Amino acid sequence: MRFYSFRVALALLLLLAPLTLLAQAQYLLRGVVRGTDGGALPGANVAVPTLGLGAATDANGRYELSLPAGRHRVVASFIGYKTVTEDVNLRGPQRLDLVLSAGTELQEVVIEGSGTLEQKLQTTQMGVERLSAREAKLLPALFGEVDILKTLQLKPGVQNGGEGTSGLFVRGGSADQNLFLVDDAVVYNPNHLFGLFSTFNSDVVQSVDLYKSGFPAQYGGRLSSVVDVKLREGSRDSFGVSGGIGLISSRLAVEAPIKKGKGSFLVAGRRTYFDVFTRQINKLNEDTKDYNPIPDYYFYDLNLKANYQLTDKDQVFLSGYFGNDVFGFNSTRGFNFDFHWGNRSATARWSHVFSPKLFTNSTATWSYYTYNIANKLDQFSFGLGSNIRDWNLRSDWEWRPTEKHVVRFGGSGTVHHFGVGRLQANGGSFNIGQNVEYDGLEGGLFAADNFTVTDKLALDYGLRLTGFRSGSNDYGGLEPRAAARYSLTPSLSLKASYALMYQYVHLVTNSGASLPTDIWYPSRLSVKPQRSQQVSTGFSWLLGAGKFLLTDEVYYKWAQRQIDFRDGAQLFVNPELDAEFLFGRGWAYGNEIYLEKKQGKTTGWLGYTLAWTKREFEPQRGTNGINGGRAFFPTYDRRHNLTLVLLHKLNKRVNLTGSFVYTSGNPTTLPTARIGVQDVYGGELQAVPIYPDRNSFRLPSYHRLDLGVVYKLKPWRTIGGESDLTLSIYNAYNRRNPYFIYIDEVKNEETGLPERYRARQVSLFPVIPSLTYNFKF
Amino acid sequence: MQIRQLPWIWLTLTRGAWLRGRAPRRLLGGAGLLAALLLTTGCGLQKDVDVDLPAEPAQLVVECYLEDGKVPELTVTETVPYLSAPTATVLNDVTVTLTSPTGRVETLVFRPGRNFTTRKFYTHRGLRVLRIRPGDTWQLSVKDTKGRVVTGAATMPATVPFDTVEWKFNDRPADERRALVTVKFQDPPGVGDYYRFQIHRDSISGAREVDYNPEDRLLDGQLITLGTSYEFEPDDTLFVTLYHLDRPYYRFLQSVDDAQSANGNPFGQPAAVQSTVQGGIGVFTILNYQRRQIIVR
């Protein structure tokens, strides 16, 4: 592998050169912000209003403020918590941990301080969305199943893959170009039930950060976005149980201190119960002749998280996930079918604070995704499967040499194992075994400096060096990252960013949706790493005495070595799969306008995106490419996208919420012509569709209104605690949104011959009300 | 409606699509649609819509399957707008010729009719029985007065005989007693052999009870077994047919299947029909098959 070690060392030195600025005579105030349950609160705001200084806590709830010596009043606030004020007399570096208690009103009420908007105004980071599980829980959800990925789809620049699905398509990127991290472990398929639900149980999610551009240097490996999910920690003070009973699933979480004030654990589970009903239906029909039983289907998730404060400077975390979808079928005709798929992941992290200016996280993760199909008929049986497994070690360092610099550096190494395809087939006289496997080694080194040059100008610049080896194939590249913010006025900032990204692993999929049988494939032979570059610029403007933040971002992204597949490609258990790939380029550009309000009884946001996405695959490898080599719009191209989200606290017990979405119809391919094929012996004349240019037709536009009410019930007399009823109405005005259109043949009832052809539109979800009961004690 | 019902999911699997590696995608297409199916069936979530489909220039469409010992027949039509009425349009200005391996030209005359054995329609028919042996290559030429020309060439695949044709009944009560059928045959050495396995009940012109197209990608040189589910009743008369196909015809069949599946499957990717002819759309091939009639009892 070509790591360019000397050049990298030189580059890192150059990066760190501006650090020669000397420290000021100020002292560092640092600490951790926690809830009363002991869990760290990432994204909380800690500020000294008299000095106009503030900081947001990091993923571990840590904050740091550089303050002049003397007395200061420190204010800490966070969504859904009472604001806390503490006085400090700073005579040297000092630690101040802050504990916030949940609001007396509904736990989920949004009372986020204006500091958050100010931080968004001041930060150099562009194209980032932070979402707390509390926000997601308030919003109406399909079948009442709160899904943090679907909430992210309400943000500008993020498209879904189809009605009700949790797939993300960020700024023209495809579904496999998102890096999903849960407590730093990669999740390869974050979907249940073909994308209708995500694998993130909202009961255990603390927050989600979505990066669309200006990617920080510590992230790499995907072209289009990073979805960084942090799970919450259990209470360090008391035993607690929370959960919910919904239309299609129930949830339960148990948390308790390991040692009071020192550490805690959290165990949470979720399971659907479609299968309970379908089994009963099958049982009632078991005597019905020719009855086809409904297959069993269910999914479940299990999360575990534990943390322990070893010393004042050392803390350890363990986090684990185990989830499966199970689909089974037993036919009376002797056919048995079992299909299951799921993710597992584990994270172990050690945080150590060397000094008030230097701390580190050392993390080991393990990720695994697998699917297996087993099929049996009399003496015939076959099994088909695929998996991907990662072992990852990473070290992240943060160093604050002066109040003007925050330096982050570190490295990571991942050992991948790609079980691209496994087939076992046995019959009366044959026994087939085929296994296609590859190994890969991925490494990355990064360094970045967030440099506050003046009160008006801040820079964030960094470099990431990545490399990948699979067999005898080596790849590598430098990924520069840069962002700048210039404050025109105290309430108006201009911003710009640039990022280059490489992606060394690729999803082999031949469908428009995220399917569990999609396979991950390494860069090898003709399959070179994907590469993208993105520039974006825009402004953030604090309006209405700090109550509103208006953000506008323009972006242009261009990508090389995008992948697709030749028609009729053999994607399964093919040792020469690389020969089935086609390579092309893609580009996307657009403008995102975003107005948000996070303070007061009524909060929410309004977003509008105008965007274009195109891909082009020229003739190659004995094919005409895709679409004859002409550029085309992928199915996730949407010209206009408007979202309005409102949350209103009516009184102490009632929260009203609503969201409205409007998007242009997605491109699709409809057959323009037909031919008749008689075929050989037997059968009837069949109409065979002839397709024109790919995605040359657009479905009608999509719009939908969802409404929700959260009603807090009275505390239980015996054990205290709290509970609420959440009513969601999905698609409130029952819009028949197009899911897809097909051409149907209408036959004459008497002759059985085709009479005419018609276009039919299929919609997926009508108005769907749902009620969920949530509790916590 | 084109959405595949649930039995399709396992029929796809039992009927061997997995051998050519497309079963999982199709399975998921079907299984993923389960939720959609449950929700859309009976909920009024489908409706007719007006779509403005652009009109493309019409292309010639040819369908011709030569067989040893048979008089050649060919159907020539043209593409029509998808939403147009299903009225038969006969092209009467088309000239069709076949050229044998020795260079002899056979003219197929315009004489629309229907083959009473296969119940298939044709527009052009030869004047005599053809003698074709495995390895022979024949050329096709189709021309009309508008200047459209379709050409093609096809080689007869080698003969692959049955090893055995067997059936077996399940252990269910008498009124649910059903048989499965298995055939075995020896795949020739070398990857690149394609097959089509069909079973007709009562008549070879009736509906195909079983029809799938395995390949030898994972079974090269082996004794291959193909089978059905328990689906035949006692005393059923079955015609079991095994075709040995060349790759272009196999690709044509596969692409026709893909093109049909993509219409009505939101997970599908639209696929162009992979013709075996040039200058138009369609298939020209030479069949080589083994057929056996059995009565399961």
Side-chain angles (χ1 to χ4, degrees), chain A residues 29-36 39-41 45-47 57 61 63 65 74-77 84-88 95-101:
Chain A
L29 180 71
R30 66 178 180 86
V32 178
V33 178
R34 297 183 183 280
T36 47
L41 299 177
N45 181 45
V46 182
T57 56
Y63 74 95
L65 285 170
V74 181
V75 179
S77 60
V84 162
T85 304
E86 293 272 354
D87 290 328
V88 292
R95 177 171 179 140
L96 175 67
D97 290 344
L98 297 154
V99 178
L100 306 187
S101 58

PDB file of all heavy atoms in Angstrom, chain A residues 29-36 39-41 45-47 57 61 63 65 74-77 84-88 95-101:
ATOM      1  N   LEU A  29     -11.924  26.103  31.457  1.00  0.00           N
ATOM      2  CA  LEU A  29     -12.994  25.496  32.256  1.00  0.00           C
ATOM      3  C   LEU A  29     -13.533  24.333  31.438  1.00  0.00           C
ATOM      4  O   LEU A  29     -13.935  24.499  30.287  1.00  0.00           O
ATOM      5  CB  LEU A  29     -14.115  26.512  32.508  1.00  0.00           C
ATOM      6  CG  LEU A  29     -15.287  25.979  33.335  1.00  0.00           C
ATOM      7  CD1 LEU A  29     -14.875  25.768  34.789  1.00  0.00           C
ATOM      8  CD2 LEU A  29     -16.474  26.931  33.251  1.00  0.00           C
ATOM      9  N   ARG A  30     -13.514  23.153  31.998  1.00  0.00           N
ATOM     10  CA  ARG A  30     -13.990  21.995  31.249  1.00  0.00           C
ATOM     11  C   ARG A  30     -14.823  21.106  32.157  1.00  0.00           C
ATOM     12  O   ARG A  30     -14.806  21.263  33.378  1.00  0.00           O
ATOM     13  CB  ARG A  30     -12.820  21.200  30.681  1.00  0.00           C
ATOM     14  CG  ARG A  30     -11.972  20.569  31.740  1.00  0.00           C
ATOM     15  CD  ARG A  30     -10.835  19.752  31.155  1.00  0.00           C
ATOM     16  NE  ARG A  30     -10.054  19.177  32.228  1.00  0.00           N
ATOM     17  CZ  ARG A  30     -10.334  18.035  32.822  1.00  0.00           C
ATOM     18  NH1 ARG A  30     -11.400  17.343  32.444  1.00  0.00           N
ATOM     19  NH2 ARG A  30      -9.597  17.565  33.790  1.00  0.00           N
ATOM     20  N   GLY A  31     -15.544  20.212  31.577  1.00  0.00           N
ATOM     21  CA  GLY A  31     -16.370  19.303  32.357  1.00  0.00           C
ATOM     22  C   GLY A  31     -17.285  18.504  31.462  1.00  0.00           C
ATOM     23  O   GLY A  31     -17.146  18.494  30.235  1.00  0.00           O
ATOM     24  N   VAL A  32     -18.212  17.835  32.107  1.00  0.00           N
ATOM     25  CA  VAL A  32     -19.164  16.995  31.391  1.00  0.00           C
ATOM     26  C   VAL A  32     -20.569  17.429  31.783  1.00  0.00           C
ATOM     27  O   VAL A  32     -20.825  17.730  32.959  1.00  0.00           O
ATOM     28  CB  VAL A  32     -18.960  15.506  31.755  1.00  0.00           C
ATOM     29  CG1 VAL A  32     -19.990  14.622  31.050  1.00  0.00           C
ATOM     30  CG2 VAL A  32     -17.550  15.059  31.395  1.00  0.00           C
ATOM     31  N   VAL A  33     -21.450  17.496  30.807  1.00  0.00           N
ATOM     32  CA  VAL A  33     -22.843  17.793  31.095  1.00  0.00           C
ATOM     33  C   VAL A  33     -23.621  16.483  31.033  1.00  0.00           C
ATOM     34  O   VAL A  33     -23.561  15.757  30.044  1.00  0.00           O
ATOM     35  CB  VAL A  33     -23.426  18.802  30.075  1.00  0.00           C
ATOM     36  CG1 VAL A  33     -24.903  19.070  30.375  1.00  0.00           C
ATOM     37  CG2 VAL A  33     -22.632  20.108  30.114  1.00  0.00           C
ATOM     38  N   ARG A  34     -24.311  16.197  32.137  1.00  0.00           N
ATOM     39  CA  ARG A  34     -25.098  14.963  32.205  1.00  0.00           C
ATOM     40  C   ARG A  34     -26.532  15.279  32.582  1.00  0.00           C
ATOM     41  O   ARG A  34     -26.823  16.318  33.160  1.00  0.00           O
ATOM     42  CB  ARG A  34     -24.535  14.023  33.285  1.00  0.00           C
ATOM     43  CG  ARG A  34     -23.137  13.542  33.028  1.00  0.00           C
ATOM     44  CD  ARG A  34     -22.695  12.564  34.124  1.00  0.00           C
ATOM     45  NE  ARG A  34     -21.315  12.167  33.910  1.00  0.00           N
ATOM     46  CZ  ARG A  34     -20.947  11.241  33.029  1.00  0.00           C
ATOM     47  NH1 ARG A  34     -21.862  10.622  32.311  1.00  0.00           N
ATOM     48  NH2 ARG A  34     -19.676  10.928  32.869  1.00  0.00           N
ATOM     49  N   GLY A  35     -27.421  14.331  32.296  1.00  0.00           N
ATOM     50  CA  GLY A  35     -28.771  14.405  32.822  1.00  0.00           C
ATOM     51  C   GLY A  35     -28.761  13.874  34.244  1.00  0.00           C
ATOM     52  O   GLY A  35     -27.753  13.303  34.701  1.00  0.00           O
ATOM     53  N   THR A  36     -29.877  14.026  34.943  1.00  0.00           N
ATOM     54  CA  THR A  36     -29.918  13.512  36.321  1.00  0.00           C
ATOM     55  C   THR A  36     -29.812  11.995  36.336  1.00  0.00           C
ATOM     56  O   THR A  36     -29.474  11.402  37.349  1.00  0.00           O
ATOM     57  CB  THR A  36     -31.238  13.923  37.006  1.00  0.00           C
ATOM     58  OG1 THR A  36     -32.308  13.653  36.105  1.00  0.00           O
ATOM     59  CG2 THR A  36     -31.243  15.380  37.381  1.00  0.00           C
ATOM     60  N   GLY A  39     -26.620  10.001  32.321  1.00  0.00           N
ATOM     61  CA  GLY A  39     -26.201   9.894  30.921  1.00  0.00           C
ATOM     62  C   GLY A  39     -25.622  11.199  30.415  1.00  0.00           C
ATOM     63  O   GLY A  39     -26.131  12.285  30.713  1.00  0.00           O
ATOM     64  N   ALA A  40     -24.536  11.083  29.660  1.00  0.00           N
ATOM     65  CA  ALA A  40     -23.934  12.288  29.080  1.00  0.00           C
ATOM     66  C   ALA A  40     -24.883  12.888  28.053  1.00  0.00           C
ATOM     67  O   ALA A  40     -25.659  12.175  27.416  1.00  0.00           O
ATOM     68  CB  ALA A  40     -22.613  11.927  28.420  1.00  0.00           C
ATOM     69  N   LEU A  41     -24.828  14.201  27.907  1.00  0.00           N
ATOM     70  CA  LEU A  41     -25.725  14.897  26.985  1.00  0.00           C
ATOM     71  C   LEU A  41     -24.916  15.538  25.856  1.00  0.00           C
ATOM     72  O   LEU A  41     -24.417  16.656  25.997  1.00  0.00           O
ATOM     73  CB  LEU A  41     -26.533  15.975  27.726  1.00  0.00           C
ATOM     74  CG  LEU A  41     -27.452  15.485  28.843  1.00  0.00           C
ATOM     75  CD1 LEU A  41     -28.124  16.667  29.534  1.00  0.00           C
ATOM     76  CD2 LEU A  41     -28.518  14.552  28.283  1.00  0.00           C
ATOM     77  N   ASN A  45     -25.734  22.939  25.479  1.00  0.00           N
ATOM     78  CA  ASN A  45     -25.090  24.232  25.324  1.00  0.00           C
ATOM     79  C   ASN A  45     -24.564  24.735  26.670  1.00  0.00           C
ATOM     80  O   ASN A  45     -25.296  24.753  27.656  1.00  0.00           O
ATOM     81  CB  ASN A  45     -26.114  25.227  24.751  1.00  0.00           C
ATOM     82  CG  ASN A  45     -25.505  26.590  24.536  1.00  0.00           C
ATOM     83  OD1 ASN A  45     -24.402  26.687  24.008  1.00  0.00           O
ATOM     84  ND2 ASN A  45     -26.212  27.627  24.944  1.00  0.00           N
ATOM     85  N   VAL A  46     -23.301  25.111  26.701  1.00  0.00           N
ATOM     86  CA  VAL A  46     -22.708  25.684  27.913  1.00  0.00           C
ATOM     87  C   VAL A  46     -22.180  27.066  27.544  1.00  0.00           C
ATOM     88  O   VAL A  46     -21.401  27.205  26.603  1.00  0.00           O
ATOM     89  CB  VAL A  46     -21.553  24.803  28.452  1.00  0.00           C
ATOM     90  CG1 VAL A  46     -20.982  25.401  29.730  1.00  0.00           C
ATOM     91  CG2 VAL A  46     -22.042  23.378  28.694  1.00  0.00           C
ATOM     92  N   ALA A  47     -22.628  28.073  28.267  1.00  0.00           N
ATOM     93  CA  ALA A  47     -22.283  29.436  27.857  1.00  0.00           C
ATOM     94  C   ALA A  47     -22.007  30.338  29.062  1.00  0.00           C
ATOM     95  O   ALA A  47     -22.453  30.073  30.175  1.00  0.00           O
ATOM     96  CB  ALA A  47     -23.426  30.025  27.029  1.00  0.00           C
ATOM     97  N   THR A  57     -21.504  20.669  23.852  1.00  0.00           N
ATOM     98  CA  THR A  57     -20.809  19.473  24.316  1.00  0.00           C
ATOM     99  C   THR A  57     -20.600  18.503  23.162  1.00  0.00           C
ATOM    100  O   THR A  57     -21.385  18.474  22.217  1.00  0.00           O
ATOM    101  CB  THR A  57     -21.604  18.767  25.425  1.00  0.00           C
ATOM    102  OG1 THR A  57     -22.912  18.479  24.950  1.00  0.00           O
ATOM    103  CG2 THR A  57     -21.697  19.633  26.659  1.00  0.00           C
ATOM    104  N   GLY A  61     -20.516  14.348  25.855  1.00  0.00           N
ATOM    105  CA  GLY A  61     -21.061  15.318  26.806  1.00  0.00           C
ATOM    106  C   GLY A  61     -20.024  16.303  27.324  1.00  0.00           C
ATOM    107  O   GLY A  61     -20.300  17.106  28.218  1.00  0.00           O
ATOM    108  N   TYR A  63     -17.398  19.506  27.457  1.00  0.00           N
ATOM    109  CA  TYR A  63     -17.301  20.859  26.928  1.00  0.00           C
ATOM    110  C   TYR A  63     -15.998  21.478  27.435  1.00  0.00           C
ATOM    111  O   TYR A  63     -15.413  20.999  28.422  1.00  0.00           O
ATOM    112  CB  TYR A  63     -18.491  21.721  27.377  1.00  0.00           C
ATOM    113  CG  TYR A  63     -18.411  22.143  28.826  1.00  0.00           C
ATOM    114  CD1 TYR A  63     -17.862  23.376  29.189  1.00  0.00           C
ATOM    115  CD2 TYR A  63     -18.865  21.288  29.827  1.00  0.00           C
ATOM    116  CE1 TYR A  63     -17.762  23.752  30.520  1.00  0.00           C
ATOM    117  CE2 TYR A  63     -18.766  21.653  31.153  1.00  0.00           C
ATOM    118  CZ  TYR A  63     -18.213  22.893  31.501  1.00  0.00           C
ATOM    119  OH  TYR A  63     -18.103  23.243  32.813  1.00  0.00           O
ATOM    120  N   LEU A  65     -14.305  25.598  27.840  1.00  0.00           N
ATOM    121  CA  LEU A  65     -14.388  27.042  27.586  1.00  0.00           C
ATOM    122  C   LEU A  65     -13.109  27.693  28.087  1.00  0.00           C
ATOM    123  O   LEU A  65     -12.648  27.393  29.189  1.00  0.00           O
ATOM    124  CB  LEU A  65     -15.577  27.647  28.345  1.00  0.00           C
ATOM    125  CG  LEU A  65     -16.984  27.381  27.800  1.00  0.00           C
ATOM    126  CD1 LEU A  65     -18.014  27.847  28.807  1.00  0.00           C
ATOM    127  CD2 LEU A  65     -17.171  28.084  26.467  1.00  0.00           C
ATOM    128  N   VAL A  74     -21.985  30.526  34.670  1.00  0.00           N
ATOM    129  CA  VAL A  74     -22.038  29.553  33.560  1.00  0.00           C
ATOM    130  C   VAL A  74     -23.470  29.009  33.447  1.00  0.00           C
ATOM    131  O   VAL A  74     -24.061  28.602  34.449  1.00  0.00           O
ATOM    132  CB  VAL A  74     -21.059  28.391  33.805  1.00  0.00           C
ATOM    133  CG1 VAL A  74     -21.102  27.403  32.642  1.00  0.00           C
ATOM    134  CG2 VAL A  74     -19.652  28.922  33.998  1.00  0.00           C
ATOM    135  N   VAL A  75     -23.986  29.041  32.240  1.00  0.00           N
ATOM    136  CA  VAL A  75     -25.360  28.593  32.003  1.00  0.00           C
ATOM    137  C   VAL A  75     -25.329  27.371  31.075  1.00  0.00           C
ATOM    138  O   VAL A  75     -24.696  27.412  30.026  1.00  0.00           O
ATOM    139  CB  VAL A  75     -26.201  29.719  31.346  1.00  0.00           C
ATOM    140  CG1 VAL A  75     -27.628  29.234  31.079  1.00  0.00           C
ATOM    141  CG2 VAL A  75     -26.206  30.960  32.227  1.00  0.00           C
ATOM    142  N   ALA A  76     -25.988  26.296  31.524  1.00  0.00           N
ATOM    143  CA  ALA A  76     -26.050  25.086  30.683  1.00  0.00           C
ATOM    144  C   ALA A  76     -27.505  24.794  30.332  1.00  0.00           C
ATOM    145  O   ALA A  76     -28.386  24.888  31.183  1.00  0.00           O
ATOM    146  CB  ALA A  76     -25.451  23.896  31.427  1.00  0.00           C
ATOM    147  N   SER A  77     -27.747  24.462  29.085  1.00  0.00           N
ATOM    148  CA  SER A  77     -29.122  24.177  28.661  1.00  0.00           C
ATOM    149  C   SER A  77     -29.116  23.063  27.627  1.00  0.00           C
ATOM    150  O   SER A  77     -28.126  22.829  26.939  1.00  0.00           O
ATOM    151  CB  SER A  77     -29.766  25.436  28.067  1.00  0.00           C
ATOM    152  OG  SER A  77     -29.030  25.871  26.942  1.00  0.00           O
ATOM    153  N   VAL A  84     -29.597  25.216  33.787  1.00  0.00           N
ATOM    154  CA  VAL A  84     -28.873  25.254  35.063  1.00  0.00           C
ATOM    155  C   VAL A  84     -27.844  26.376  35.025  1.00  0.00           C
ATOM    156  O   VAL A  84     -27.189  26.593  34.001  1.00  0.00           O
ATOM    157  CB  VAL A  84     -28.176  23.892  35.303  1.00  0.00           C
ATOM    158  CG1 VAL A  84     -27.081  24.023  36.347  1.00  0.00           C
ATOM    159  CG2 VAL A  84     -29.193  22.860  35.740  1.00  0.00           C
ATOM    160  N   THR A  85     -27.742  27.090  36.139  1.00  0.00           N
ATOM    161  CA  THR A  85     -26.761  28.166  36.234  1.00  0.00           C
ATOM    162  C   THR A  85     -25.805  27.875  37.398  1.00  0.00           C
ATOM    163  O   THR A  85     -26.244  27.510  38.482  1.00  0.00           O
ATOM    164  CB  THR A  85     -27.468  29.510  36.489  1.00  0.00           C
ATOM    165  OG1 THR A  85     -28.422  29.712  35.450  1.00  0.00           O
ATOM    166  CG2 THR A  85     -26.477  30.661  36.482  1.00  0.00           C
ATOM    167  N   GLU A  86     -24.524  27.994  37.132  1.00  0.00           N
ATOM    168  CA  GLU A  86     -23.507  27.762  38.187  1.00  0.00           C
ATOM    169  C   GLU A  86     -22.516  28.927  38.163  1.00  0.00           C
ATOM    170  O   GLU A  86     -22.147  29.425  37.101  1.00  0.00           O
ATOM    171  CB  GLU A  86     -22.728  26.472  37.900  1.00  0.00           C
ATOM    172  CG  GLU A  86     -23.540  25.206  38.018  1.00  0.00           C
ATOM    173  CD  GLU A  86     -23.557  24.646  39.432  1.00  0.00           C
ATOM    174  OE1 GLU A  86     -22.818  25.205  40.296  1.00  0.00           O
ATOM    175  OE2 GLU A  86     -24.314  23.686  39.672  1.00  0.00           O
ATOM    176  N   ASP A  87     -22.083  29.350  39.374  1.00  0.00           N
ATOM    177  CA  ASP A  87     -21.058  30.391  39.453  1.00  0.00           C
ATOM    178  C   ASP A  87     -19.694  29.744  39.704  1.00  0.00           C
ATOM    179  O   ASP A  87     -19.590  28.808  40.501  1.00  0.00           O
ATOM    180  CB  ASP A  87     -21.378  31.360  40.594  1.00  0.00           C
ATOM    181  CG  ASP A  87     -22.613  32.196  40.251  1.00  0.00           C
ATOM    182  OD1 ASP A  87     -22.822  32.476  39.060  1.00  0.00           O
ATOM    183  OD2 ASP A  87     -23.384  32.527  41.167  1.00  0.00           O
ATOM    184  N   VAL A  88     -18.692  30.230  39.028  1.00  0.00           N
ATOM    185  CA  VAL A  88     -17.329  29.717  39.266  1.00  0.00           C
ATOM    186  C   VAL A  88     -16.387  30.898  39.495  1.00  0.00           C
ATOM    187  O   VAL A  88     -16.600  32.004  38.974  1.00  0.00           O
ATOM    188  CB  VAL A  88     -16.790  28.897  38.079  1.00  0.00           C
ATOM    189  CG1 VAL A  88     -17.557  27.609  37.925  1.00  0.00           C
ATOM    190  CG2 VAL A  88     -16.793  29.699  36.796  1.00  0.00           C
ATOM    191  N   ARG A  95     -12.398  22.128  36.666  1.00  0.00           N
ATOM    192  CA  ARG A  95     -13.410  21.227  36.106  1.00  0.00           C
ATOM    193  C   ARG A  95     -14.758  21.561  36.723  1.00  0.00           C
ATOM    194  O   ARG A  95     -14.863  21.768  37.928  1.00  0.00           O
ATOM    195  CB  ARG A  95     -13.031  19.787  36.411  1.00  0.00           C
ATOM    196  CG  ARG A  95     -14.090  18.819  35.923  1.00  0.00           C
ATOM    197  CD  ARG A  95     -13.636  17.383  36.024  1.00  0.00           C
ATOM    198  NE  ARG A  95     -14.737  16.535  35.546  1.00  0.00           N
ATOM    199  CZ  ARG A  95     -14.597  15.474  34.806  1.00  0.00           C
ATOM    200  NH1 ARG A  95     -13.394  15.096  34.443  1.00  0.00           N
ATOM    201  NH2 ARG A  95     -15.642  14.760  34.418  1.00  0.00           N
ATOM    202  N   LEU A  96     -15.756  21.633  35.915  1.00  0.00           N
ATOM    203  CA  LEU A  96     -17.109  21.901  36.404  1.00  0.00           C
ATOM    204  C   LEU A  96     -18.078  20.977  35.656  1.00  0.00           C
ATOM    205  O   LEU A  96     -18.359  21.174  34.468  1.00  0.00           O
ATOM    206  CB  LEU A  96     -17.500  23.373  36.160  1.00  0.00           C
ATOM    207  CG  LEU A  96     -18.941  23.736  36.521  1.00  0.00           C
ATOM    208  CD1 LEU A  96     -19.172  23.650  38.030  1.00  0.00           C
ATOM    209  CD2 LEU A  96     -19.291  25.125  36.009  1.00  0.00           C
ATOM    210  N   ASP A  97     -18.543  19.927  36.350  1.00  0.00           N
ATOM    211  CA  ASP A  97     -19.550  19.045  35.746  1.00  0.00           C
ATOM    212  C   ASP A  97     -20.927  19.611  36.043  1.00  0.00           C
ATOM    213  O   ASP A  97     -21.183  20.113  37.147  1.00  0.00           O
ATOM    214  CB  ASP A  97     -19.435  17.631  36.320  1.00  0.00           C
ATOM    215  CG  ASP A  97     -18.153  16.955  35.843  1.00  0.00           C
ATOM    216  OD1 ASP A  97     -17.553  17.460  34.872  1.00  0.00           O
ATOM    217  OD2 ASP A  97     -17.738  15.953  36.452  1.00  0.00           O
ATOM    218  N   LEU A  98     -21.783  19.539  35.066  1.00  0.00           N
ATOM    219  CA  LEU A  98     -23.115  20.122  35.201  1.00  0.00           C
ATOM    220  C   LEU A  98     -24.170  19.034  35.053  1.00  0.00           C
ATOM    221  O   LEU A  98     -24.051  18.165  34.177  1.00  0.00           O
ATOM    222  CB  LEU A  98     -23.318  21.210  34.137  1.00  0.00           C
ATOM    223  CG  LEU A  98     -22.358  22.389  34.269  1.00  0.00           C
ATOM    224  CD1 LEU A  98     -22.142  23.075  32.933  1.00  0.00           C
ATOM    225  CD2 LEU A  98     -22.884  23.391  35.294  1.00  0.00           C
ATOM    226  N   VAL A  99     -25.156  19.087  35.903  1.00  0.00           N
ATOM    227  CA  VAL A  99     -26.222  18.082  35.866  1.00  0.00           C
ATOM    228  C   VAL A  99     -27.539  18.782  35.577  1.00  0.00           C
ATOM    229  O   VAL A  99     -27.940  19.707  36.291  1.00  0.00           O
ATOM    230  CB  VAL A  99     -26.307  17.318  37.204  1.00  0.00           C
ATOM    231  CG1 VAL A  99     -27.452  16.307  37.159  1.00  0.00           C
ATOM    232  CG2 VAL A  99     -24.985  16.625  37.494  1.00  0.00           C
ATOM    233  N   LEU A 100     -28.201  18.368  34.516  1.00  0.00           N
ATOM    234  CA  LEU A 100     -29.470  18.970  34.127  1.00  0.00           C
ATOM    235  C   LEU A 100     -30.601  17.999  34.438  1.00  0.00           C
ATOM    236  O   LEU A 100     -30.483  16.797  34.197  1.00  0.00           O
ATOM    237  CB  LEU A 100     -29.491  19.281  32.625  1.00  0.00           C
ATOM    238  CG  LEU A 100     -28.343  20.131  32.061  1.00  0.00           C
ATOM    239  CD1 LEU A 100     -28.635  20.475  30.596  1.00  0.00           C
ATOM    240  CD2 LEU A 100     -28.178  21.405  32.867  1.00  0.00           C
ATOM    241  N   SER A 101     -31.684  18.541  34.956  1.00  0.00           N
ATOM    242  CA  SER A 101     -32.841  17.684  35.208  1.00  0.00           C
ATOM    243  C   SER A 101     -33.877  17.914  34.128  1.00  0.00           C
ATOM    244  O   SER A 101     -33.991  19.014  33.571  1.00  0.00           O
ATOM    245  CB  SER A 101     -33.434  17.984  36.581  1.00  0.00           C
ATOM    246  OG  SER A 101     -33.793  19.344  36.648  1.00  0.00           O
TER     247      SER A 101
END
